Amino acid sequence: MDAPSAGRAFEDFIEALNESSDNKFFNLPKLGGTKYDALPYSIRVLLEAAVRNCDGFLVKKEDVMNILDWKNKQNNVEVPFLPARVLLQDFTGIPAMVDFAAMREAVKSLGGDPKNVHPACPTDLTVDHSLQIDFSKCAIQNAPNPGGGDLQKTTGKLSPLKVQPRKVSCRGQTVCRGPCDTGELGRNSGKFSAQIENTPLLCPFHLQPVPEPETVLKNQEVEFGRNRERLQFFKWSSKVFKNVTLIPPGTGMAHQVNLEYLSRVVFEGENVFFPDSVVGTDSHITMVNGLGILGWGVGGIETEAVMLGLPVSLTLPEVVGCELIGSSGSLATSIDVVLGITKHLRQAGVAGKFVEFFGSGVAQLSVTDRTTIANMCPEYGAILSFFPVDNVTLKHLEHTGFDRDKLASVETYLKAVKLFRSDQDSPAEPEYSQIIQINLNSIIPSVSGPKRPQDRVAVSDMKSDFQACLNEKVGFKGFQIAAEKQNDVVPIQYEGIEYELSHGSVVIAAVISCTNNCNPSVMLAAGLLAKKAVEAGLRVKPYIRTSLSPGSGMVTHYLSSSGVLPYLSKLGFEVVGYGCSTCVGNTAPLPETVLNAIKEGDLVACGVLSGNKNFEGRLCDCVRANYLASPPLVVAYAIAGTVNIDFQTEPLGTDPQGRNIYLHDIWPNREELHKVEEEHVIFSMFKELKEKMEKGNKRWNSLDAPDSVLFPWDSKSTYIRCPSFFDKLAKEPVSLQPIENAHVLLYLGDSVTTDHISPAGSIARSSAAAKYLTNRGLTPREFNSYGARRGNDAVMTRGTFANIKLLNKFIGKPAPKTVHFPSGQTLDVFEAAELYQREGIPLIILAGKKYGSGNSRDWAAKGPYLMGVKAVVAESYEKIHKDHLIGIGIAPLQFLPGENASSLGLSGREQFSFSFPEDLSPGVTLNVKTSTGKVFSVIASFENDVEITLYKHGGLLNYVARKFS
């Protein structure tokens, strides 16, 4: 299935970029005239892709005209979009690649050629989500080998526990302002002989490479050991599938690598220039929109379709123009700007829309500021948040080592197609669906929490807000702690010293990779604050789980070269590795004495992290309050040891002389931040990082992997397993069958997130997945995480709806349980579903508003499908998740406006029957009959004929497999 020929219907609009070049482009202004000039920049990118790929089949001329007529067609028509490339990360990438491998098997069984199954567009897969924090700080925890067995046998290398420290001498320096080993503060600057070649540290005194900190070595060694089988599968994928590029472990996080290495801004294919664009298996792909690259997350199922040359189908969106004016204050960081804009846009209701930024305030934002803002757009519900390329973007590209000749061509092309924004040359703004104005002067330092990213709290109000949360009923903000227990204190003994825990005590503080490490200013602010704190004699209590997980080696470069990394380490923020860690629940267990104290006092313990997700129970089961904060505030709250503090009136601590030290005493000002950023975020860092990405690392390069056309599945494997999606695949699809006498598996309320549905984090010892692994001879220390086992459908299905915070109305309290009605038993959700399937009983789910909100997760659809769920009936859906349901073969049904299960008098204990008409059409109304005789209507929430076609085939995977056969 090859990609369509470029723009055969619009060949007359192909022109040379300039007289001295063979490069060509589609002259869109010539096609659209004044109508084109009125289009938002993001819609112009959609238009270019449609023109270039128009072949009358996948993309029709009518689609082009609809996009050009965006003003009148927005929200009324579906349009196709073929992005330039696809980005996968390993948690969501492995099921996509496993599906590709299984599809080869299916195509072969149907008589087709499995060699034809490969991605049709460039596909980059970054292995960045398998990192777990087994070791933190300089003290080596007595963590077992989670992969089991002998690490030397598993990896071919000695265990990192055997690495011996030694002092590092200066290399080739004639003048040295200090030793590389600066005593206690120098422990991050190099004491260990082994070196991870793709992420070197720099001596803070003369910018020369020195060995990695011990914690990175240990965590990466264990990562390769425990994930060897998965990594071999990835390497097989890169060998046999065309257009697949692997970014190996230890290099960096997907979003960071996307920005620093993979992004082209403008593509050049067969001498035709066109805008870079990307979709991928993560909702935070949107970060690249800050670089002027159109991109968003669509989940594994749709991504696989794009990889096979099929377009993404989307409703031509409204575009909200967000005008930024003014400038933020000196104490407000980029994260404060992000959280402020997030709150404004969520209140404005931009769900399912594009957001495009303009105004005088945009020019004051660096590209890193913009990417941080764009990264959070899923939290306010937008499809993407777009910053058109401007002079700030070009300066950033030049600063980070972009080829100057290519940069000149990029500028020429973008100006030719009017995708370059210039306030001087563009007196008239594009027409937007609506305009929202945000004054940056109003932005104040803030955090978000304690349970949702949209619940913003001014730092000045933090103490009063937390105390209010203790009083409120259990809900999105409340914990309902009795007034007489709110001042309870539980003493603990840790390392021979007595400490006290209370409500609000910080037990996890993580500067993590997911949101902020792309932004030098906030990361450097954390480092400078740490430096001033250490110099003032402040410390972090040792029982707090602190960690620093940079997005890439570049971050470590500038933290080290600026001299602040040793101070972060002194406070416990040791570099633990490169990849998503705390944010996805992969933190090290809390000390037993802390866990016992939290349970004994029923304390509302807190986590503070510089990420973008803080749903309850995400970081750790026992940590109920989680706050998102900028990196310097993470460090500040860690020093304070509590969130129950007013920074304006209460000190962080005292210096050796007993003087109070307040936050404003150690907060870095904007001028010193700018100076350090200019001096240390330098061209050489980006250049060296890119070179090392291309070389890979020794562990990856020496990893053996098969190169057979079909993957040699190992029946004993608990990591990689051929999924059962294609088990009953026939050459032709069967007609739609009625769903009769279905039981309700789960009766859920509002805002059920994909975190509640999809397996994530560690595998609980009492879970159905743990029982499965134990029955195959694994010990708990060998369980690894759900993310690492996404290539095994048996594990993932058992982990579906296993979240301890799942509130099923049948149970009445948070628990991963449900009722099997034929027997009356209360069982784990998987066990009940398995029993229903044995009995041949179809299943449905009842839900409230915003079902499937949160991150895009394909297993949030695949898991229920393999459990036997045939339909979900909800008040409303998150669009990405609804697309997943259709893509896997689950019908998304919607209550009529103003109705829900409660208003209809449904208990969920009934059995439900309904059927689909032969001429199923978008938005058709279906009648549902219950076993009690009640009849009510629902809307079949299909938006277009493509979705109906996919559903009739039993999902996208079956549809594509049949195409190959």
Side-chain angles (χ1 to χ4, degrees):
M1 185 178 297
D2 296 324
S5 300
R8 59 181 65 166
F10 294 93
E11 291 178 350
D12 293 343
F13 294 93
I14 298 178
E15 297 182 3
L17 188 60
N18 54 56
E19 296 180 357
S20 59
S21 173
D22 294 331
N23 293 316
K24 303 182 185 304
F25 73 106
F26 285 86
N27 192 333
L28 300 181
K30 183 178 178 180
L31 168 66
T34 55
K35 213 170 190 179
Y36 178 81
D37 294 341
L39 292 177
Y41 289 86
S42 52
I43 299 300
R44 297 177 195 181
V45 178
L46 292 182
L47 179 65
E48 192 283 335
V51 168
R52 177 168 39 85
N53 291 292
C54 184
D55 64 348
F57 175 59
L58 292 175
V59 183
K60 300 176 181 179
K61 190 172 182 179
E62 178 185 3
D63 296 320
V64 173
M65 293 300 105
N66 282 337
I67 298 174
L68 187 60
D69 193 26
W70 167 82
K71 181 179 179 181
N72 300 312
K73 296 296 178 66
Q74 55 185 297
N75 271 341
N76 292 323
V77 297
E78 289 282 327
V79 295
F81 175 57
L82 274 162
R85 57 189 173 93
V86 161
L87 179 65
L88 307 171
Q89 44 91 340
D90 56 317
F91 265 20
T92 49
I94 192 165
M97 300 313 299
V98 166
D99 288 347
F100 261 60
M103 192 178 294
R104 285 194 162 198
E105 302 275 0
V107 168
K108 181 181 179 182
S109 69
L110 293 179
D113 186 353
K115 290 182 181 179
N116 290 334
V117 180
H118 61 79
C121 69
T123 300
D124 302 302
L125 195 157
T126 63
V127 185
D128 69 330
H129 274 53
S130 57
L131 174 68
Q132 295 189 42
I133 306 175
D134 297 287
F135 305 101
S136 63
K137 304 185 181 180
C138 273
I140 303 305
Q141 303 169 14
N142 294 320
N145 170 15
D150 189 327
L151 271 179
Q152 187 171 4
K153 293 179 181 178
T154 305
T155 64
K157 298 179 182 295
L158 291 173
S159 165
L161 295 174
K162 299 178 182 179
V163 175
Q164 298 299 316
R166 67 175 177 86
K167 189 170 182 177
V168 178
S169 60
C170 302
R171 288 173 287 182
Q173 298 297 322
T174 56
V175 179
C176 180
R177 289 176 288 162
C180 291
D181 183 355
T182 58
E184 190 173 11
L185 284 180
R187 62 185 182 180
N188 243 10
S189 298
K191 286 188 178 182
F192 300 93
S193 59
Q195 172 133 11
I196 305 300
E197 67 173 14
N198 66 316
T199 50
L201 289 175
L202 300 180
C203 167
F205 296 100
H206 31 60
L207 306 186
Q208 292 300 306
V210 298
E212 284 282 1
E214 182 181 14
T215 48
V216 175
L217 293 175
K218 294 178 182 299
N219 284 317
Q220 289 190 356
E221 189 78 40
V222 173
E223 179 183 1
F224 264 78
R226 65 154 57 97
N227 294 298
R228 184 176 181 83
E229 192 176 335
R230 296 172 60 245
L231 297 178
Q232 286 176 322
F233 174 78
F234 282 138
K235 199 160 189 179
W236 171 82
S237 299
S238 67
K239 287 182 176 182
V240 303
F241 292 120
K242 298 178 182 178
N243 289 331
V244 173
T245 300
L246 265 291
I247 308 297
T251 304
M253 55 163 309
H255 327 309
Q256 190 77 19
V257 173
N258 195 16
L259 284 173
E260 296 173 16
Y261 177 65
L262 301 174
S263 294
R264 284 82 155 174
V265 184
V266 172
F267 256 83
E268 182 180 357
E270 297 181 357
N271 293 326
V272 175
F273 271 44
F274 54 94
D276 188 3
S277 57
V278 59
V279 297
T281 54
D282 195 290
S283 58
H284 295 283
I285 297 293
T286 52
M287 183 182 280
V288 295
N289 289 280
L291 200 58
I293 298 170
L294 197 73
W296 68 94
V298 294
I301 298 171
E302 301 94 327
T303 303
E304 291 171 36
V306 175
M307 292 163 66
L308 292 166
L310 301 177
V312 173
S313 181
L314 74 157
T315 301
L316 194 60
E318 294 181 38
V319 181
V320 177
C322 184
E323 182 180 16
L324 302 181
I325 62 173
S327 60
S328 56
S330 59
L331 291 181
T333 70
S334 299
I335 309 308
D336 297 315
V337 175
V338 168
L339 296 176
I341 290 175
T342 296
K343 183 175 182 180
H344 280 291
L345 293 178
R346 187 172 278 276
Q347 291 173 342
V350 297
K353 304 174 184 179
F354 284 11
V355 174
E356 191 167 292
F357 291 89
F358 71 100
S360 59
V362 173
Q364 300 176 43
L365 300 177
S366 67
V367 166
T368 49
D369 290 336
R370 300 175 189 187
T371 56
T372 310
I373 293 169
N375 187 49
M376 287 293 280
C377 86
E379 313 315 322
Y380 44 82
I383 298 174
L384 57 86
S385 293
F386 192 71
F387 288 85
V389 174
D390 60 7
N391 286 321
V392 174
T393 316
L394 295 182
K395 289 179 181 177
H396 171 83
L397 293 173
E398 183 178 4
H399 179 72
T400 57
F402 208 86
D403 180 84
R404 292 191 177 184
D405 292 337
K406 176 66 182 298
L407 191 59
S409 297
V410 165
E411 182 177 359
T412 300
Y413 167 73
L414 291 175
K415 288 181 176 179
V417 293
K418 297 186 177 180
L419 285 173
F420 186 86
R421 183 178 186 83
S422 172
D423 292 332
Q424 291 75 28
D425 299 335
S426 304
E429 296 293 346
E431 296 181 9
Y432 294 108
S433 306
Q434 67 178 106
I435 292 178
I436 299 169
Q437 188 180 82
I438 299 176
N439 191 332
L440 298 180
N441 293 330
S442 66
I443 303 298
I444 58 175
S446 61
V447 298
S448 283
K451 301 181 183 182
R452 301 189 302 176
Q454 64 263 36
D455 295 327
R456 182 168 170 248
V457 183
V459 172
S460 58
D461 298 333
M462 182 63 164
K463 183 171 185 176
S464 59
D465 187 83
F466 179 75
Q467 292 173 346
C469 289
L470 294 180
N471 287 315
E472 287 186 25
K473 292 182 179 180
V474 174
F476 291 134
K477 283 184 72 77
F479 299 102
Q480 200 169 357
I481 303 298
E484 64 272 14
K485 292 184 176 296
Q486 291 181 13
N487 295 319
D488 285 359
V489 173
V490 180
I492 67 170
Q493 285 283 332
Y494 189 80
E495 296 180 348
I497 300 175
E498 183 171 304
Y499 300 93
E500 292 182 340
L501 293 184
S502 59
H503 295 292
S505 288
V506 174
V507 294
I508 296 176
V511 178
I512 61 175
S513 59
C514 201
T515 302
N516 307 289
N517 293 344
C518 69
N519 198 315
S521 65
V522 292
M523 293 299 292
L524 288 170
L528 290 172
L529 186 143
K531 180 176 184 292
K532 292 184 178 185
V534 170
E535 290 172 345
L538 299 179
R539 295 293 184 270
V540 174
K541 294 178 178 64
Y543 60 79
I544 298 176
R545 279 285 180 261
T546 50
S547 60
L548 170 60
S549 180
S552 75
M554 191 210 74
V555 181
T556 309
H557 268 297
Y558 66 68
L559 290 178
S560 181
S561 64
S562 62
V564 299
L565 195 58
Y567 297 95
L568 285 164
S569 177
K570 179 68 175 177
L571 294 180
F573 291 94
E574 185 91 15
V575 176
V576 297
Y578 301 89
C580 290
S581 50
T582 304
C583 193
V584 292
N586 288 347
T587 191
L590 296 178
E592 198 70 27
T593 182
V594 174
L595 288 172
N596 292 337
I598 292 173
K599 293 176 183 177
E600 176 188 337
D602 190 27
L603 299 178
V604 180
C606 297
V608 187
L609 64 153
S610 59
N612 52 45
K613 288 290 187 300
N614 60 334
F615 300 120
E616 188 175 5
R618 184 180 178 98
L619 303 190
C620 180
D621 293 349
C622 63
V623 179
R624 286 190 271 173
N626 297 298
Y627 288 92
L628 307 182
S630 63
L633 281 177
V634 171
V635 177
Y637 279 112
I639 294 170
T642 181
V643 300
N644 196 16
I645 182 175
D646 183 347
F647 283 140
Q648 294 180 321
T649 61
E650 299 178 61
L652 291 172
T654 58
D655 65 11
Q657 288 73 43
R659 292 188 295 264
N660 287 336
I661 303 297
Y662 293 86
L663 180 61
H664 61 78
D665 294 327
I666 62 174
W667 191 269
N669 62 51
R670 190 172 293 264
E671 289 71 26
E672 61 184 318
L673 273 175
H674 180 72
K675 180 181 179 181
V676 174
E677 186 174 352
E678 286 295 314
E679 290 179 357
H680 299 289
V681 185
I682 54 176
F683 165 82
S684 61
M685 293 180 181
F686 282 87
K687 181 181 178 182
E688 187 171 4
L689 177 66
K690 291 176 182 179
E691 290 174 352
K692 293 185 180 298
M693 283 182 177
E694 291 166 359
K695 291 178 182 177
N697 62 56
K698 291 179 180 178
R699 289 191 183 95
W700 176 258
N701 294 340
S702 62
L703 186 68
D704 293 327
D707 54 8
S708 53
V709 173
L710 300 177
F711 184 71
W713 307 99
D714 181 357
S715 59
K716 297 180 181 179
S717 174
T718 56
Y719 278 101
I720 308 295
R721 185 177 118 124
C722 189
S724 55
F725 301 121
F726 302 104
D727 285 356
K728 299 179 181 179
L729 182 65
K731 191 82 172 179
E732 298 295 334
V734 298
S735 59
L736 291 175
Q737 301 297 306
I739 297 175
E740 297 179 335
N741 299 317
H743 269 295
V744 177
L745 179 64
L746 293 162
Y747 184 2
L748 306 171
D750 296 339
S751 297
V752 173
T753 70
T754 51
D755 279 352
H756 290 110
I757 307 168
S758 182
S762 59
I763 298 174
R765 295 190 179 193
S766 60
S767 65
K771 295 174 187 176
Y772 170 85
L773 295 173
T774 300
N775 289 338
R776 278 149 185 78
L778 274 68
T779 62
R781 68 177 184 176
E782 297 171 311
F783 285 173
N784 210 327
S785 65
Y786 281 113
R789 295 190 182 275
R790 285 195 181 192
N792 186 319
D793 62 314
V795 172
M796 297 301 288
T797 305
R798 285 164 172 79
T800 302
F801 292 116
N803 190 303
I804 61 169
K805 299 301 179 183
L806 179 72
L807 183 56
N808 179 9
K809 294 184 180 182
F810 293 149
I811 305 301
K813 62 181 180 180
K817 303 283 185 179
T818 195
V819 177
H820 176 256
F821 289 109
S823 67
Q825 299 179 80
T826 297
L827 302 169
D828 286 343
V829 177
F830 170 79
E831 292 172 347
E834 187 177 40
L835 197 50
Y836 278 123
Q837 289 197 75
R838 288 177 188 167
E839 298 164 341
I841 299 174
L843 298 171
I844 66 171
I845 292 172
L846 295 179
K849 300 182 181 71
K850 297 182 180 178
Y851 179 77
S853 58
N855 271 355
S856 164
R857 300 187 189 280
D858 60 334
W859 269 105
K862 288 178 176 178
Y865 173 81
L866 293 178
M867 282 180 162
V869 173
K870 303 299 182 183
V872 177
V873 187
E875 290 183 68
S876 63
Y877 294 88
E878 183 83 9
K879 177 173 170 51
I880 291 178
H881 183 62
K882 182 168 73 70
D883 292 346
H884 280 195
L885 293 177
I886 296 169
I888 200 61
I890 295 177
L893 307 180
Q894 194 164 334
F895 290 108
L896 297 181
E899 294 184 354
N900 55 42
S902 178
S903 69
L904 292 170
L906 302 176
S907 68
R909 299 174 181 271
E910 309 90 344
Q911 289 180 273
F912 296 76
S913 300
F914 54 92
S915 59
F916 298 95
E918 291 185 7
D919 58 343
L920 182 61
S921 58
V924 69
T925 299
L926 307 177
N927 289 325
V928 181
K929 184 177 180 179
T930 71
S931 54
T932 61
K934 182 183 292 292
V935 178
F936 63 97
S937 297
V938 295
I939 299 168
S941 193
F942 300 103
E943 296 184 12
N944 53 63
D945 292 337
V946 173
E947 291 185 349
I948 290 174
T949 299
L950 295 179
Y951 181 71
K952 287 181 175 179
H953 274 266
L956 176 61
L957 295 176
N958 290 346
Y959 172 79
V960 173
R962 289 187 177 108
K963 289 289 184 181
F964 275 123
S965 303

